[in-house]
Amino acid sequence: MSFINSKSSLFDTNNNSLSIKELRAGLISGRWTSVDLVEMYLARINQFSRYNAMIFVKDRQLLLSEAASLDKERIELLCSEATAQQIPKLHGIPVVIKDNICTSDMPTTAGALALKDAESGFDAEIV
């Protein structure tokens, strides 16, 4: 399995995505940024939009702003006395939250279009 050597594609030639461990290593080494990951995953979500797998995706600019903030924070941590092991494992890695888990800033639809505007107003403990 050989990975495409490009920031624009973090999928191997068989279209398999990288593991969290591989994504984290790329962030720590500077091979890519959280902004790169958000851009790539948004493009991936768009590529498969015809399947209606995502009822809600946060605003693109908000996601990119959050990612840029995490990139800055990670650089500051790495430039300080912190080691890579002290940076949280999922720091800067985009995640999808299933829509039956309550989040304060996104609809909790349980996969039902009838609930597309339902908001819980709080984050579940696992978020």
Side-chain angles (χ1 to χ4, degrees), residues 29-43:
S29 71
R31 182 171 177 202
W32 47 72
T33 66
S34 295
V35 170
D36 294 328
L37 294 179
V38 167
E39 290 277 17
M40 190 272 307
Y41 280 115
L42 287 174

Side-chain angles (χ1 to χ4, degrees), residues 47-65:
Q47 180 183 0
F48 292 98
S49 64
R50 67 184 175 274
Y51 298 114
N52 296 317
M54 302 283 181
I55 291 176
F56 178 85
V57 177
K58 274 189 176 180
D59 176 72
R60 181 179 186 277
Q61 290 307 315
L62 177 62
L63 291 171
L64 292 172
S65 174

Side-chain angles (χ1 to χ4, degrees), residues 17-127:
S17 61
L18 298 174
S19 69
I20 289 174
K21 185 176 180 178
E22 292 166 319
L23 291 173
R24 184 174 191 278
L27 287 170
I28 298 295
S29 71
R31 182 171 177 202
W32 47 72
T33 66
S34 295
V35 170
D36 294 328
L37 294 179
V38 167
E39 290 277 17
M40 190 272 307
Y41 280 115
L42 287 174
R44 187 80 166 160
I45 289 167
N46 188 51
Q47 180 183 0
F48 292 98
S49 64
R50 67 184 175 274
Y51 298 114
N52 296 317
M54 302 283 181
I55 291 176
F56 178 85
V57 177
K58 274 189 176 180
D59 176 72
R60 181 179 186 277
Q61 290 307 315
L62 177 62
L63 291 171
L64 292 172
S65 174
E66 290 173 356
S69 178
L70 290 168
D71 286 335
K72 181 180 177 190
E73 182 179 302
R74 185 175 45 263
I75 290 167
E76 289 171 357
L77 285 169
L78 290 171
C79 290
S80 71
E81 294 181 19
T83 65
Q85 288 76 23
Q86 293 172 305
I87 297 172
K89 301 283 187 218
L90 291 176
H91 187 275
I93 296 176
V95 296
V96 172
I97 305 293
K98 185 155 175 52
D99 59 359
N100 64 347
I101 298 173
C102 294
T103 57
S104 63
D105 59 349
M106 294 184 290
T108 304
T109 67
L113 285 175
L115 298 173
K116 68 182 175 77
D117 297 321
E119 293 192 19
S120 67
F122 67 94
D123 285 335
E125 289 293 320
I126 62 170
V127 175

